[in-house]
Amino acid sequence: MTTSLLGLRIDSAELRLVRLPLLTPFVISTGTMTEKVFPLLTLRGEGLEGYAEGVMDVLPDYLEETQGGALDFLRQAVLPGLIGRCFSNPAEIAAELAPWRGHRMAKAMVEMAFWDLWAKALNQPLSALLGGVRDAVEVGVSLGIADIPTTLERVETAVASGYRRVKLKIKRGHDLKLLEAVRGRFPDIKLTVDANTDYRLPDLPLLVQMDRFGLDYIEQPLAFDDIHDHAKVQARLITAICLDESIRSATDARKALVAEAARVINIKVGRVGGFAEARAIHDLCAAFDVPVWCGGMLESGIGRAQNIHLASLPNFSKPGDTSSASRYFAMDITEQQLESDNGLMAVPRHGPGLGVTLDRSFLDQVTGAREDFR
């Protein structure tokens, strides 16, 4: 352990904006991605580095938070106030960020980077400090919107690769016929769908028809900020509703579970503000006997490692979205390209903390901008 009695001192920070081209365009109901653009934060202290990847989009097409706003918030309000200060644990960092309203994804970057730095100072894997109980986690695939023949080919490839769950992105007009085709070819696979908020309450009769396809859950069919109408839909469905965008905090999760708006919760650590809040949602759902799983945002190796460590907690009982990096990128910014084996992703252990190391040469090639804080 390298931390002093005063805590772990943050000596400097670095922000990068990274662009990774996708091997295949990823299409969902809200648009098409051809590259993954994300901020990468490094916190330095006591000769160590802690990393975190931001999951906010360039434009507000997932949630309201954008990269431009998040980066400005970090550079103006947060990072200058951390340099030169000591923090004993991640809870102290969280308390420092708490007075600021919103900006959960930006706050998550700071909190997660400190968790990584703290775990390295303690010479422990991140999963051990979070309370993880697994050395490997079950993973599935998330398949973007494509025509039915292409989707069937992609499902066949995923099944042959051993993935434990297949998720289909859907939207209005691209749903029932797709499900009929996939279920007709693959009657026994664990199958889910993700609407990315494309439906409305008047679409309830259509959503009810999805009950006949034996889906494990329907993810976020209604508006990104809705809980009330999801409760109405869940009351009419046999199939479980899974909430994603609607859950920003443990308070949101409690309201949704009390209202019976969902029977499954997707936890994305960046969406909810960091590991501490993600763990609180995990524990709350366990108390309600509601399973959770770890969602993905097409992360690089840093974000992928964050997700895997989190998913090692006991109530992550459904396969997550953290499939092999090679499905998305020709090269990754980590020296370890994280790959699944028969639907299992090993918790990275190439050192303490996140258990991955940066490929600095390649990272420099794909970095569009860099700022240092001292």
Side-chain angles (χ1 to χ4, degrees), residues 103-345:
H103 294 286
R104 290 187 179 276
M105 294 177 178
K107 291 178 181 179
M109 291 178 65
V110 178
E111 192 247 29
M112 291 188 294
F114 189 82
W115 270 96
D116 184 33
L117 188 67
W118 188 56
K120 288 169 179 170
L122 296 173
N123 198 33
Q124 292 291 319
L126 178 60
S127 58
L129 299 184
L130 291 174
V133 296
R134 304 183 183 96
D135 293 324
V137 301
E138 286 193 311
V139 293
V141 292
S142 178
L143 302 180
I145 292 172
D147 59 53
I148 289 176
T150 300
T151 300
L152 289 172
E153 291 177 5
R154 291 175 177 176
V155 173
E156 186 168 6
T157 298
V159 171
S161 299
Y163 283 108
R164 306 297 174 94
R165 178 269 280 148
V166 173
K167 181 169 79 175
L168 305 176
K169 295 288 188 176
I170 60 170
K171 63 180 181 178
R172 284 175 287 181
H174 184 79
D175 40 40
L176 297 182
K177 288 184 179 180
L178 174 72
L179 286 170
E180 287 173 353
V182 172
R183 264 297 178 231
R185 178 83 66 86
F186 304 95
D188 300 321
I189 64 171
K190 180 172 285 191
L191 184 65
T192 72
V193 294
D194 184 3
N196 287 110
T197 78
D198 197 53
Y199 297 83
R200 299 296 178 262
L201 202 55
D203 296 311
L204 178 56
L206 187 151
L207 295 171
V208 169
Q209 292 186 61
M210 294 185 189
D211 276 340
R212 59 192 171 95
F213 297 109
L215 302 174
D216 197 37
Y217 50 80
I218 300 170
E219 188 176 352
Q220 198 71 33
L222 306 183
F224 75 97
D225 55 356
D226 173 73
I227 290 175
H228 180 77
D229 285 348
H230 277 105
K232 294 182 178 180
V233 173
Q234 183 64 95
R236 292 283 304 278
L237 293 182
I238 297 170
T239 307
I241 293 293
C242 170
L243 290 181
D244 174 353
E245 289 94 328
S246 297
I247 307 301
R248 320 281 187 93
S249 65
T251 298
D252 289 339
R254 176 184 58 79
K255 291 176 180 178
L257 296 176
V258 169
E260 298 184 347
R263 299 178 193 147
V264 180
I265 297 293
N266 166 342
I267 299 178
K268 291 177 179 170
V269 62
R271 185 189 74 229
V272 303
F275 287 120
E277 194 70 15
R279 190 165 60 176
I281 296 171
H282 165 277
D283 294 349
L284 175 74
C285 290
F288 275 81
D289 198 26
V290 167
V292 301
W293 58 277
C294 185
M297 298 285 282
L298 306 187
E299 291 94 342
S300 79
I302 295 298
R304 200 169 296 272
Q306 292 166 177
N307 292 345
I308 299 167
H309 281 274
L310 178 66
S312 69
L313 272 67
N315 196 39
F316 282 89
S317 55
K318 290 185 177 293
D321 276 343
T322 313
S323 54
S324 294
S326 60
R327 296 187 63 247
Y328 304 105
F329 311 119
M331 286 187 66
D332 207 340
I333 64 169
T334 53
E335 292 183 355
Q336 303 78 21
Q337 185 149 299
L338 302 177
E339 301 289 304
S340 68
D341 182 9
N342 194 32
L344 290 174
M345 183 75 77

Side-chain angles (χ1 to χ4, degrees), residues 66-100:
T66 64
Q67 285 180 10
L71 291 173
D72 193 56
F73 171 64
L74 290 172
R75 69 167 66 96
Q76 297 288 343
V78 178
L79 293 179
L82 300 181
I83 306 305
R85 295 178 58 190
C86 295
F87 298 90
S88 297
N89 52 59
E92 291 189 0
I93 285 280
E96 184 75 16
L97 300 172
W100 299 108

